[in-house]
């Protein structure tokens, strides 16, 4: 049967367990990179609006030179994107939710679809024996990322294979991003980072996890542009003044002091440091070295016997990114300016991306992205080009990211378990008693989001549970609850078990019909606070929020 016939049958069977042809590059939604959240209705009433938009469009900060704060104020769309193509937002999933029992959905989300039960990797094994329908270039082998995370972590957050050998991946805890990324809105997730081999080895090429830990601390300092506490280390052995106190002693922090035009540099250690001296490893504030990798799994909501939120064993998605090339500040600035010029010169032209389902999609900032998602029976499969495209708008086109990333700049720091280097599965009540994060100007972030978004904790203003938690009976902010949240972010992030199970059931309905190209945000009732159609330049009614208190 030809590829075209497979695709046609899938299209005709939409909503009835259709199979997706992952090698097809044709698009049902030509602007699949534009997130559904960008169609949120913001104008509530005369002189009143809801502004969840500032979470993503908050203005440039080096090395991100994208100036997009105007997107808080109006819908900067193209002719094609005036119509909202995310059809699933407007559908009613209540019957599909009611048809599933709590016991059935819990059994489903607690079934591991990544491991084979014997220490093996179901997805990797299938990719090694590559099905023809996943082979984009027809060469008989998988040329993209071969999942190699074991999801077995030591007491430093390092991932280890069943034989105990480190995979190079390291997990970290972080503040969940605002809106749809919060667990209360339908999913848990985790993120792991891996630096290239040279960062994990000494100058002689021998694996050295102690040096790797220090290189990750140096990287954290460079990404956050702040000092990073470390366990005491002898600088004489390292031959490097990590704390920059002018002498080689015992360092208990990596001091951030990077001003190359003034002769102040930062430095990696081991083989990576040697290559840096040779000009083969680049370094700059806010930028990851070439070869940096991230794995991000998206999972269902589950609870332990004590009712505490935990990651589900089942993966909804496994997302992967790798930095392919180095772009300096001038190049990144030029890329941002070029995008503005292209929008001005060709206002109806949609963004284009290179790549495919097998090798991923290349972004303009030097990264490649690809992902895997559940098939109709719950096994992981490669995402199609269109399904992967859904990642690109957020990772390549907004001002809120740091070198295209969300989680690592939000990593937990000193004072958290293992200084933030752990996997969520290693702690109970991951968000309990964690203090609220602060924005660059000192404002409490989650509180600011609630205030700007008319008391709602999601872009679509559909999470009544959270709204009722933080508003009084008269509709005013509940100051007592807000003060509690400043000391305990679980109040903002964790849903009730009832809500969690409903959202799990709604998402499973999407899995069974394989309609991800129409939207994958779980909800039960049709969403009301989202535009089906909106004219170019329509005002949102929002006042623009910025990174600093003066709004600039």
């Amino acid at each position: 049967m030809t590829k075209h016939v497979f695709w046609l049958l899938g299209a005709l069977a939409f909503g009835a367990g259709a199979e997706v042809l992952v090698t097809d590059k044709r698009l049902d939604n030509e602007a699949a990179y534009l997130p559904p959240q960008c169609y949120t209705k913001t104008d509530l009433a005369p002189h009143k609006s809801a502004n969840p938009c500032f979470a993503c469009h908050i203005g440039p900060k080096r090395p991100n030179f994208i100036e997009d704060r105007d997107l808080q104020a109006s819908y900067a769309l193209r002719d094609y994107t005036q119509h909202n193509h995310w059809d699933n937002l407007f559908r009613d999933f209540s019957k599909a939710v009611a048809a599933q029992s709590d016991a059935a959905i819990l059994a489903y989300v607690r079934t591991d679809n990544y491991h084979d039960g014997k220490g093996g990797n179901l997805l990797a094994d299938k990719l090694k024996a590559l099905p023809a329908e996943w082979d984009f270039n027809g060469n008989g082998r998988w040329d993209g990322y071969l999942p190699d995370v074991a999801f077995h972590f030591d007491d430093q957050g390092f991932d280890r294979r069943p034989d105990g050998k480190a995979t190079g991946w390291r997990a970290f805890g972080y503040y969940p991003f605002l809106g749809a990324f919060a667990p209360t809105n339908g999913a848990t997730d985790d993120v792991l980072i891996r630096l290239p081999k040279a960062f994990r080895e000494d100058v002689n090429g021998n694996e050295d996890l102690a040096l790797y830990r220090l290189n990750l601390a140096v990287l954290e300092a460079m990404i956050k542009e702040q000092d990073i506490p470390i366990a005491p280390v002898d600088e004489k052995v390292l031959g490097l003044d990590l704390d920059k106190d002018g002498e080689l002693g015992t360092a208990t922090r990596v001091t951030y002091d990077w001003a190359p035009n003034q002769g102040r540099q930062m430095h990696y250690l081991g083989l990576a440091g040697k290559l840096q001296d040779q000009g083969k490893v680049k370094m700059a504030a806010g930028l990851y070295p070439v070869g940096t990798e991230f794995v991000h799994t998206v999972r269902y909501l589950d609870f332990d016997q004590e009712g505490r939120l935990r990651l589900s064993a089942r993966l909804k998605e496994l997302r992967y990114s790798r930095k392919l090339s180095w772009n300096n500040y001038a190049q990144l600035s030029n890329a941002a300016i070029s995008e503005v010029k292209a929008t001005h010169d060709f206002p109806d032209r949609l963004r284009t991306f290179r790549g495919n389902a097998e090798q991923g999609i290349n972004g303009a900032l030097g990264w490649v992205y690809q992902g895997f998602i559940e098939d109709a029976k719950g096994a992981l499969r490669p995402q199609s080009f269109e399904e992967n495209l859904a990642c690109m708008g957020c990772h390549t086109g907004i001002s809120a990211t740091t070198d295209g990333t969300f989680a690592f700049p939000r990593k937990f720091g000193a004072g958290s378990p293992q200084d933030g280097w752990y996997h969520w599965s290693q702690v109970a009540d991951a968000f309990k008693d964690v203090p609220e994060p602060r924005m660059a100007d000192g404002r409490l972030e989650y509180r600011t989001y609630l205030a700007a978004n008319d008391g709602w904790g999601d872009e679509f203003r559909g999470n009544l549970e959270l709204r009722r938690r933080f508003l009084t009976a008269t509709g005013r902010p509940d100051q007592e609850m807000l003060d509690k949240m400043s000391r305990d972010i679980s109040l903002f992030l964790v849903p009730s078990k009832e809500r969690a199970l409903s959202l799990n059931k709604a998402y499973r309905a999407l899995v069974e019909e394989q309609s991800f190209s129409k939207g994958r945000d779980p909800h039960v009732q049709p969403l009301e606070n989202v535009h089906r159609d909106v004219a170019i330049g329509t005002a949102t009614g929002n006042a623009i929020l910025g990174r600093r208190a003066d709004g600039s």
Side-chain angles (χ1 to χ4, degrees):
M1 188 177 290
T2 67
K3 288 184 177 182
H4 176 71
V5 174
F6 272 122
W7 174 85
L8 181 60
L9 289 176
L12 292 172
F14 173 76
E19 292 300 323
V20 173
L21 182 61
V22 300
T23 57
D24 197 342
K25 289 192 65 174
R26 285 172 292 185
L27 302 175
D28 287 335
N29 178 5
E30 295 177 28
Y33 58 84
L34 185 65
Q37 288 75 16
C38 289
Y39 290 97
T40 295
K41 291 180 180 178
T42 58
D43 195 357
L44 303 180
H47 313 298
K48 189 176 182 183
S49 65
N51 183 7
C53 315
F54 83 92
C56 292
H57 309 296
I58 199 166
K61 179 182 182 295
R62 182 198 72 181
N64 189 331
F65 297 93
I66 295 171
E67 174 53 272
D68 61 355
R69 282 172 290 191
D70 60 306
L71 297 181
Q72 296 181 39
S74 66
Y75 295 89
L77 301 169
R78 310 289 196 270
D79 278 348
Y80 180 84
T81 57
Q82 290 181 99
H83 177 72
N84 186 347
H85 296 270
W86 299 107
D87 296 338
N88 282 342
L89 298 175
F90 306 97
R91 296 177 58 204
D92 187 339
F93 289 92
S94 56
K95 289 184 179 179
V97 169
Q100 303 173 64
S101 69
D102 290 352
I105 194 63
L106 284 173
Y108 182 75
V109 305
R110 290 172 179 172
T111 300
D112 192 338
N113 61 347
Y114 183 81
H115 300 98
D116 65 4
K118 302 176 182 178
N121 182 322
L122 291 168
L123 179 57
D125 288 345
K126 191 166 184 179
L127 291 169
K128 290 173 184 175
L130 187 63
E133 62 269 23
W134 293 1
D135 190 2
F136 178 81
N137 56 18
N139 66 355
R141 67 173 185 271
W142 181 253
D143 293 319
Y145 169 61
L146 189 67
D148 61 345
V149 185
F151 290 105
H152 296 294
F153 301 95
D154 65 18
D155 61 4
Q156 292 295 313
F158 286 108
D159 179 52
R160 294 185 178 273
R161 299 187 182 96
D163 63 5
K165 188 174 181 180
T167 63
W169 292 107
R170 196 180 191 190
F172 57 91
Y174 51 91
Y175 291 102
F177 197 69
L178 300 161
F181 286 90
T184 184
N185 293 321
T188 52
D189 64 354
D190 59 353
V191 180
L192 291 73
I193 187 173
R194 179 165 66 184
L195 299 184
K197 282 186 63 179
F199 291 77
R200 300 176 252 151
E201 298 175 344
D202 62 21
V203 292
N204 297 314
N206 300 311
E207 184 179 80
D208 190 326
L209 283 185
L211 281 177
Y212 188 22
R213 286 197 298 270
L214 290 174
N215 276 330
L216 283 165
V218 173
L219 175 64
E220 186 176 353
M222 292 298 290
I223 294 297
K224 294 182 175 179
E225 300 190 45
Q226 64 186 41
D227 296 354
I228 300 298
I230 56 175
V233 62
D234 187 348
E235 294 176 321
K236 292 179 182 177
V237 174
L238 300 174
L240 184 66
D241 185 9
L242 282 174
D243 58 14
K244 293 185 176 287
D245 64 355
E247 59 183 46
L248 297 181
T250 299
T252 57
R253 71 180 185 277
V254 173
T255 296
Y256 173 75
D257 184 24
W258 186 80
N261 291 337
Q262 301 173 32
R264 305 203 308 273
Q265 299 280 357
M266 299 286 287
H267 208 275
Y268 293 118
L269 298 104
L271 184 56
K274 181 179 179 180
L275 295 175
Q276 184 180 353
D277 290 338
Q278 297 172 358
K280 297 177 181 178
V281 167
K282 305 291 185 183
M283 189 184 214
L287 296 178
Y288 300 92
V290 173
T292 299
E293 299 170 280
F294 286 96
V295 155
H296 172 206
T297 75
V298 184
R299 307 186 186 219
Y300 292 86
L301 299 159
D302 195 8
F303 294 85
D304 64 17
Q305 292 183 338
E306 284 73 41
R308 297 172 298 197
L309 181 71
R310 67 180 182 183
L311 297 173
S312 67
R314 178 175 294 277
L315 273 60
K316 289 182 175 182
E317 299 179 49
L318 188 150
R319 301 173 178 178
Y320 172 78
S321 62
R322 178 165 55 93
K323 189 166 184 176
L324 297 179
S325 61
W326 181 264
N327 292 287
N328 60 31
Y329 291 167
Q331 291 168 317
L332 293 169
S333 178
N334 286 338
I337 293 170
S338 296
E339 186 66 28
V340 172
K341 185 177 186 303
T343 300
H344 175 271
D345 294 347
F346 307 99
D348 295 331
R349 180 181 294 177
L350 300 177
R351 297 181 67 189
T352 58
F353 296 90
R354 294 179 294 106
N356 56 69
E358 184 172 349
Q359 295 166 303
I361 300 179
N362 294 322
L365 303 179
W367 294 78
V368 64
Y369 301 87
Q370 71 178 132
F372 305 85
I373 201 164
E374 289 180 274
D375 67 16
K377 295 181 180 179
L380 292 170
R381 63 162 175 83
Q383 291 192 142
S384 68
F385 179 81
E386 181 169 353
E387 290 166 341
N388 278 324
L389 200 58
C391 298
M392 302 309 290
C394 292
H395 283 286
T396 67
I398 64 174
S399 61
T401 59
T402 300
D403 198 5
T405 66
F406 288 90
F408 195 66
R410 301 173 66 86
K411 174 187 168 295
F412 290 160
S416 58
Q418 298 168 197
D419 291 335
W421 291 108
Y422 62 88
H423 189 254
W424 298 124
S425 63
Q426 296 179 286
V427 295
D429 261 351
F431 305 119
K432 183 69 175 175
D433 297 325
V434 174
E436 189 175 354
R438 290 188 180 273
M439 300 172 66
D441 61 7
R443 287 175 295 174
L444 291 166
E445 185 181 42
Y446 296 154
R447 181 182 304 202
T448 300
Y449 187 84
L450 287 171
N453 199 29
D454 192 42
W456 296 87
D458 64 312
E459 295 90 344
F460 301 127
R461 303 196 303 283
N463 189 342
L464 277 170
E465 178 177 273
L466 198 64
R467 181 175 173 81
R468 290 167 177 163
R469 190 176 297 172
F470 288 100
L471 293 183
T472 65
T474 60
R476 299 180 63 83
D478 187 327
Q479 192 60 47
E480 181 180 355
M481 285 298 296
L482 290 171
D483 289 343
K484 287 181 179 179
M485 180 179 67
S486 69
R487 304 183 297 272
D488 179 6
I489 61 174
S490 68
L491 295 172
F492 180 77
L493 296 174
V494 179
S496 67
K497 188 173 182 179
E498 180 183 9
R499 174 173 169 80
L501 295 182
S502 292
L503 294 176
N504 284 348
K505 294 171 185 178
Y507 186 84
R508 190 181 182 187
L510 297 177
V511 170
E512 291 177 341
E513 65 186 30
Q514 293 289 282
S515 63
F516 303 122
S517 64
K518 303 295 183 181
R520 63 185 81 173
D521 296 279
H523 60 90
V524 180
Q525 300 292 335
L527 295 171
E528 298 179 356
N529 297 310
V530 57
H531 290 288
R532 169 62 87 173
D533 295 281
V534 58
I536 298 171
T538 299
T540 64
N542 290 328
I544 295 178
L545 295 173
R547 290 185 181 271
R548 296 191 294 272
D550 61 4
S552 62

